[in-house]
Amino acid sequence: MTAAAYLDVSIAGAPPRRVTIGLYGDLLPATVANFLALCAAPPGAGGYAGTDVYRLIPGLTVQAGDVLHNGGKSGAASAAAVEAAVATAAAAAAAAAAAAAAATGAPGTDGGGGGGATAAAAAAAAGTFPMEGVRVGHTVLGSVNMVVSRGGEVDSRFFITLRPDSRYLDGKYCAFGRVTGGLDVLADVEAVGGGGVSNRPRRRVTIVGCGVADAAAPPGGARKLNGFGGGVMA
């Protein structure tokens, strides 16, 4: 694990309790950078602080991270992550064009291989970027994953698994981290239960604060970057 973040979670307005997440930045650098940026964003600046859990399926997953409308149907990646994805796609397109030119002996052009860059630019306009890969499986309780659209894009929404064996997710999602502290908090969130067609939590569960932590430090040593001082954002 190369980095860590934390979420201070309040259930039904109770004092918040901390969930610490270790992150695999060496395997999924763009995804981890996006998650860290959303955790570090000041309140009201498009980050996770003040957002609610919007879907809860006991025994399966808890889902959160809609930084746009807080209802689970929207999301937006951090600007830095989107810009990095566009730059990466542009570099890959240029490399592909150069390789094609070298193979044919023709001069390279800006248009060769530009489809990836164009797609990335379109995704950027939507506040998304492509899922990085599916190299990490789901074999532990508390695997943390980004929600993936049908087009293979991710934004700010994420989910945490609630059982140790979630290998049915392998090949469809990629775990970019796992809960390393606060599994008891996760269990209490699960106990809230979900209801209705959309599996909304039966009581409000809110991320009242979040931030970046030292990956080598115990959960209590996290460096708080933002939050609402224990209050629940209305």
Side-chain angles (χ1 to χ4, degrees):
M1 295 181 184
T2 62
Y6 67 88
L7 308 174
D8 288 338
V9 179
S10 172
I11 300 174
R17 296 156 64 201
R18 182 158 294 183
V19 175
T20 306
I21 299 169
L23 302 165
Y24 311 137
D26 52 340
L27 298 177
L28 296 107
T31 305
V32 167
N34 179 54
F35 190 78
L36 288 172
L38 292 166
C39 284
Y48 290 138
T51 62
D52 295 334
V53 169
Y54 60 81
R55 182 171 294 121
L56 175 55
I57 308 175
L60 291 177
T61 64
V62 54
Q63 301 181 30
D66 181 348
V67 300
L68 291 182
H69 302 296
N70 205 25
K73 295 184 178 181
S74 59
S78 71
V82 172
E83 290 172 4
V86 171
T88 299
T104 61
T109 65
D110 291 337
T118 301
T128 65
F129 64 95
M131 182 175 68
E132 287 188 274
V134 291
R135 290 180 293 171
V136 183
H138 302 79
T139 57
V140 297
L141 172 67
S143 291
V144 186
N145 309 257
M146 299 306 293
V147 172
V148 182
S149 72
R150 292 180 180 178
E153 305 291 325
V154 302
D155 47 47
S156 56
R157 290 168 293 174
F158 67 95
F159 66 91
I160 303 175
T161 61
L162 295 175
R163 64 184 191 185
D165 185 354
S166 296
R167 284 178 285 184
Y168 69 95
L169 297 171
D170 290 355
K172 302 175 183 177
Y173 301 91
C174 185
F176 65 90
R178 67 178 176 87
V179 174
T180 57
L183 285 173
D184 57 329
V185 181
L186 191 62
D188 287 346
V189 169
E190 181 179 16
V192 168
V197 176
S198 58
N199 295 293
R200 296 285 182 191
R202 297 187 184 279
R203 291 185 289 167
R204 189 176 186 184
V205 180
T206 305
I207 300 171
V208 298
C210 47
V212 179
D214 183 345
R223 175 168 52 92
K224 189 158 188 175
L225 297 184
N226 60 57
F228 291 93
V232 178
M233 183 177 181

